[in-house]
Amino acid sequence: MKFTLSWLKDHLETEADVHRIAEAMTMAGLEVEEVLDPAAKLAPFTVARIVSAERHPNADRLQVCQVDTVDGMKEIVCGAPNARAGLTTIYAPIGAYVPGLGVTLVEKSVRGVVSNGMLCSASELELSDESDGIQELPPEIPVGTPVAGLFGAEPVIDFEVTPNRPDWLGVAGIARDLAAAGVGKLKHFDIAVVRGAFPSPITVRLDAPEMCPVFAGRVIRGVKNGPSPAWLQKRLTAIGLRSINRLVDVTNLIAYDRARPLHVYDMAKLVGTEIVVRAGQVSAGTAHIEGGEPEHLIALDGKTYAAAPTDCIIADAGGERPIGLGGVMGGESTGCDDDTTDVFLESAWFDPLVIAQTGRALGIHSDAQYRFARGVDPVSVTPGLELATRLILDLCGGEPSEIVFVGEPPASPAPFAFDPAYVKRLTGMDLADDRIGTILGQLGFLVTAAPAGQAEPWIVTPPSWRRDVEGPADLVEEVARIEGFDALPSTPLPPVARPAGGVLSPRQARVRTARRALAALGYAEAVTWSFTKESTAALFGGGDERLVLENPIAADLDCMRPSVLPNLIQAAARNAARGFADAALFEIGPIYLGDGPGDQRTVIAALVAPHAARHWAGAADDPLFALKADLAALLEEIGAPVASLQLAQGSNRDWWHPGRSARLQLGPKNVMVEFGELHPRVLKALDADGPMLAFEIVLDNVPEPRGKSGKARGAADLSALMPLTRDFAFVVEDAKPVGDLVRATAGADKALIADVRVFDVYRGKGVDDGFKSVALEVVIQPRDATLTEAEIDALTARIVAAVEKQGGRLRA
């Protein structure tokens, strides 16, 4: 929405300049986007007079002009065909920026003659679209007169209108809010009733009152159309509208001045004497067109539109011929031109939802559609018609008929009770009741005393143009907006004592610890959707129909994810597609299993795609063991019972590689972690290049650490004696997990055995087929005294006995 300062002053008595107006609008909630000042753009240009014009010695189409300018006599080379001695025109000095050309003038030679400036056309200054030569001005204008004043260039304010404030789509509505904000005094104009001289020969029938509940119009005969007067052209041109003719310009003026769209029909082009307002029609279906063909209309923009039954149509010829899209755009068949003498002037109210839907479906964004879709004031139907009639009579002459009025406008907003103390309760502003009442009254609200015995002292009735106000909170917002949001008190919140036990639950503390630990290990955090594609979910055990969304946000996000891994795989694939194949990602978030009310789990998932650059040193260590080391470090950080975990080879999940995956569990039922290499089949289905390795920790299955006793930690129990080591080699079945041997060895004597490490696994000569030799280094830490040989032998026997219970035998 654009308007000029002079236009605003037609409705507002104020001495404020354009910048003060823009600031007041911003503080009142009107979002000013830009203040355009064409006067500043035209500041370098002044009036000049050509004293003489001679043909250029080196060019037939150029002239060397001696020009009397504000800077004295200047020699200027000009190529305009109308450059001649005695012509008063526009002068641009060296250094001026010419907006129509997009260049800054510099002193330069033109075919051997230096041009000391430029003589300008109207198009070069963006004062018109076309020019036949340099601008010709009246000869009585003195040399040196600023051009900006001659063309009436004035600042234009451009601001964004929020959908709930259609009254701001008229300059009168903007003036009302500014007057309430104290910028000036609102001018009140009574719209005089124009008495009809004869009954209207055009009648109106409403066949779709749900689309158009009220329609008014009148005939004006004997008008003389043509170009609009200069003041009207200037007003419309300043805000970017093209002047068409007097009749059309009047309707455009009132649309921007009062937020009241109108339309004018050429009566000579109407068929019949009845205008029908109806829904769009579809012809009966044929063998070639299933369901019928919609009716078509050639609109004023020259385009043909197909009207649907959800569109409002204005028709003549007994309702058969469409002549306009109601509330959107008129038809080309009844448009007004310079030969128009008799017109029918329309002022109606259309349902905002119908007009908004028509605009979206047909792609039409006219000024009328923009206003009706947001809600035009229903009470303005007759006043808008009377105002347009008066302007047409003043500009075009003619004789008006009586008004034909059909239908009932929608009901005005209902009154409701209001307590002015509510303003302080919601905003903290301590305003007197008189000030609150004054603000509401200036905005058009009717404030009356409530009946005796009612809790709230006021009854407030919103004006017809404020259908967005529905309750007391809306009134408080209006008062705060006009008083100024900068007047809101800055009262700090009362201090709140910090909880003694901290603000994080044990689960939240674990998540934060895990996030920091993984970041320290070199993983980048990913934040992905909690949804995935249904076919992708099926690859990860998510075939349950209960996980499918009824209203997904996208076609490829139609299922709750049963695992975080597919999202991480796709994220790594996207990185690889952009040249970053060596990814290490993690995410902490929910998964959904679809197995009942408690089907949501929180998991910590990480994925690595080892695609390091090639190097002469060869491949690095097996990334699976590096991933396992990261997993072990993470479990230690979050306080998981690592010593009690059982390692089970393989997984019953078919998205893991069967020979390169495992799980960590506390007993057979509590599977806490699954990790390993992802199956190539799954990666191929997700268009990802392998290998990729990952782990997924179900945080719900990790036992919470035992509660603290509250006692301070004791001194470190460090032995003063040197530790010693003993090596053992045990032969066990090939399928036996090595972790079972480690746990059995460590449990042989928990007081003396400080650590157990695997340093070799051997299969081959000397070891039977189906068996393996596992070499263990046992660290023994004496406590009270140096161990004797007999004590060491006894400990060795206990270790061997513990491993034998696991099916192992001592090899060496």
Side-chain angles (χ1 to χ4, degrees):
M1 174 69 185
K2 296 180 180 180
F3 65 93
T4 61
L5 184 59
S6 63
W7 195 342
L8 177 68
K9 289 184 177 181
D10 285 351
H11 298 277
L12 186 70
E13 293 181 8
T14 181
E15 298 299 325
D17 62 12
V18 67
H19 300 290
R20 173 72 180 91
I21 294 294
E23 180 184 0
M25 290 175 63
T26 301
M27 297 307 298
L30 291 85
E31 183 182 347
V32 176
E33 292 190 340
E34 189 178 10
V35 176
L36 306 170
D37 191 358
K41 181 173 62 177
L42 297 177
F45 304 94
T46 55
V47 174
R49 184 172 290 106
I50 301 177
V51 176
S52 65
E54 304 292 339
R55 195 179 74 174
H56 194 290
N58 301 319
D60 294 338
R61 295 186 179 183
L62 297 179
Q63 298 188 75
V64 180
C65 302
Q66 304 299 321
V67 184
D68 185 11
T69 73
V70 68
D71 300 323
M73 195 65 66
K74 296 287 184 180
E75 186 173 70
I76 298 175
V77 177
C78 181
N82 61 334
R84 62 187 183 274
L87 177 65
T88 302
T89 185
I90 299 173
Y91 160 68
I94 298 298
Y97 176 78
V98 183
L101 301 177
V103 298
T104 300
L105 299 181
V106 295
E107 185 177 317
K108 67 176 182 178
S109 174
V110 180
R111 296 286 184 93
V113 178
V114 175
S115 181
N116 298 285
M118 178 179 176
L119 302 180
C120 302
S121 66
S123 63
E124 289 167 340
L125 300 188
E126 296 183 341
L127 297 174
S128 69
D129 295 334
E130 298 179 358
S131 297
D132 295 330
I134 57 177
Q135 182 69 28
E136 298 191 19
L137 298 175
E140 62 270 14
I141 301 177
V143 171
T145 302
V147 170
L150 295 178
F151 290 92
E154 60 175 322
V156 176
I157 296 177
D158 185 4
F159 73 100
E160 185 68 27
V161 179
T162 55
N164 67 316
R165 293 302 306 271
D167 57 306
W168 283 346
L169 291 170
V171 179
I174 302 166
R176 184 188 302 111
D177 277 28
L178 289 174
V183 179
K185 183 179 179 181
L186 186 66
K187 298 179 181 179
H188 295 280
F189 298 99
D190 294 329
I191 299 176
V193 174
V194 180
R195 297 190 180 277
F198 57 92
S200 172
I202 301 294
T203 60
V204 179
R205 186 176 85 233
L206 296 181
D207 287 352
E210 70 283 358
M211 294 180 171
C212 177
V214 60
F215 190 106
R218 77 183 335 159
V219 171
I220 305 177
R221 63 190 183 189
V223 300
K224 184 178 180 181
N225 201 12
S228 294
W231 70 267
L232 181 52
Q233 292 189 34
K234 173 185 172 183
R235 179 151 291 183
L236 297 179
T237 304
I239 62 173
L241 295 181
R242 181 173 60 90
S243 177
I244 299 175
N245 55 53
R246 296 174 192 171
L247 292 170
V248 176
D249 288 355
V250 164
T251 62
N252 288 335
L253 176 71
I254 296 176
Y256 276 82
D257 189 73
R258 303 299 175 101
R260 161 39 63 184
L262 304 162
H263 188 65
V264 184
Y265 301 90
D266 188 333
M267 279 189 60
K269 300 176 183 178
L270 291 175
V271 178
T273 60
E274 183 182 45
I275 287 180
V276 180
V277 183
R278 59 171 174 81
Q281 297 177 350
V282 178
S283 64
T286 65
H288 302 287
I289 305 175
E290 183 180 351
E293 183 179 3
E295 59 184 338
H296 291 77
L297 168 74
I298 302 177
L300 286 172
D301 61 0
K303 298 179 181 179
T304 301
Y305 298 98
T310 55
D311 301 326
C312 183
I313 294 296
I314 311 297
D316 63 1
E320 293 298 321
R321 185 181 73 146
I323 59 174
L325 288 165
V328 178
M329 187 175 290
E332 188 179 67
S333 61
T334 57
C336 295
D337 53 34
D338 290 348
D339 297 327
T340 299
T341 57
D342 300 332
V343 298
F344 180 76
L345 180 61
E346 167 203 302
S347 178
W349 192 89
F350 299 93
D351 182 81
L353 293 179
V354 172
I355 304 306
Q357 181 178 352
T358 299
R360 284 194 300 267
L362 300 180
I364 302 178
H365 303 286
S366 65
D367 288 337
Q369 188 273 341
Y370 188 79
R371 285 160 174 77
F372 278 120
R374 282 155 178 77
V376 172
D377 180 10
V379 179
S380 68
V381 171
T382 300
L385 185 64
E386 297 282 15
L387 180 60
T389 301
R390 173 53 58 197
L391 283 173
I392 290 175
L393 294 179
D394 291 344
L395 298 179
C396 307
E399 185 181 27
S401 75
E402 296 173 354
I403 293 176
V404 53
F405 190 96
V406 184
E408 287 290 335
S412 295
F416 53 84
F418 178 68
D419 186 352
Y422 202 46
V423 173
K424 184 174 183 180
R425 193 155 62 245
L426 285 189
T427 67
M429 289 181 172
D430 193 4
L431 302 178
D433 291 357
D434 289 346
R435 174 58 180 159
I436 296 173
T438 299
I439 291 175
L440 295 178
Q442 289 177 322
L443 292 175
F445 294 88
L446 177 62
V447 181
T448 59
Q454 184 169 309
E456 292 83 0
W458 291 356
I459 297 295
V460 178
T461 304
S464 58
W465 60 83
R466 290 303 305 273
R467 295 179 174 273
D468 60 306
V469 177
E470 300 177 345
D474 296 325
L475 294 181
V476 173
E477 182 182 357
E478 292 300 301
V479 173
R481 181 174 64 85
I482 296 302
E483 184 66 18
F485 292 122
D486 55 343
L488 290 170
S490 55
T491 305
L493 294 173
V496 178
R498 183 173 179 177
V503 295
L504 296 181
S505 66
R507 170 70 61 82
Q508 292 171 326
R510 269 187 165 171
V511 167
R512 185 170 69 172
T513 300
R515 183 174 285 112
R516 292 178 175 178
L518 285 167
L521 290 169
Y523 291 78
E525 184 173 11
V527 181
T528 67
W529 294 104
S530 294
F531 322 113
T532 188
K533 196 173 182 179
E534 185 178 1
S535 58
T536 301
L539 296 173
F540 290 81
D544 197 316
E545 294 182 355
R546 290 175 294 182
L547 296 178
V548 180
L549 301 174
E550 293 183 0
N551 186 24
I553 61 175
D556 57 349
L557 296 173
D558 59 349
C559 185
M560 305 301 291
R561 65 182 183 188
S563 171
V564 180
L565 295 180
N567 290 0
L568 292 182
I569 293 171
Q570 291 171 327
R574 286 193 296 270
N575 277 272
R578 290 159 177 79
F580 299 94
D582 193 22
L585 306 173
F586 80 92
E587 182 175 0
I588 303 175
I591 62 171
Y592 307 88
L593 306 179
D595 55 5
D599 63 348
Q600 181 174 323
R601 304 283 192 276
T602 300
V603 300
I604 304 172
L607 177 140
V608 294
H611 294 84
R614 293 181 296 175
H615 194 269
W616 65 270
D621 295 336
D622 191 337
L624 180 57
F625 290 104
L627 178 79
K628 183 180 177 183
D630 292 344
L631 173 60
L634 176 61
L635 292 173
E636 289 282 1
E637 285 290 335
I638 65 175
V642 178
S644 303
L645 292 178
Q646 300 172 354
L647 178 70
Q649 297 287 346
S651 174
N652 55 1
R653 315 281 192 172
D654 57 4
W655 57 87
W656 295 107
H657 195 296
R660 290 176 59 79
S661 61
R663 58 185 183 274
L664 296 176
Q665 57 193 37
L666 289 171
K669 295 184 178 180
N670 185 1
V671 178
M672 203 168 71
V673 186
E674 291 185 344
F675 71 98
E677 185 173 333
L678 292 162
H679 201 290
R681 173 184 55 81
V682 173
L683 298 180
K684 183 178 180 181
L686 297 180
D687 196 21
D689 294 331
M692 290 188 183
L693 303 96
F695 64 75
E696 199 167 36
I697 304 171
V698 182
L699 201 55
D700 305 73
N701 294 347
V702 181
E704 297 287 352
R706 294 181 180 180
K708 298 180 180 179
S709 62
K711 298 180 180 179
R713 180 181 296 178
D717 185 15
L718 301 177
S719 175
L721 303 175
M722 288 288 293
L724 66 148
T725 61
R726 288 291 184 270
D727 294 343
F728 297 85
F730 296 102
V731 177
V732 294
E733 293 182 356
D734 206 11
K736 184 68 174 178
V738 174
D740 293 349
L741 304 185
V742 173
R743 279 190 295 274
T745 301
D749 192 323
K750 294 182 180 179
L752 290 176
I753 298 177
D755 194 11
V756 179
R757 294 189 284 263
V758 180
F759 66 87
D760 187 39
V761 177
Y762 171 74
R763 300 176 182 87
K765 185 177 180 180
V767 178
D768 297 338
D769 291 340
F771 287 84
K772 61 186 174 183
S773 173
V774 179
L776 305 177
E777 180 186 40
V778 180
V779 180
I780 303 170
Q781 177 63 64
R783 292 292 176 180
D784 301 325
T786 302
L787 297 179
T788 64
E789 195 66 31
E791 290 172 331
I792 295 174
D793 291 341
L795 177 58
T796 299
R798 290 196 297 273
I799 293 173
V800 173
V803 174
E804 286 177 348
K805 290 180 181 180
Q806 296 293 327
R809 60 181 176 82
L810 186 65
R811 179 184 175 211

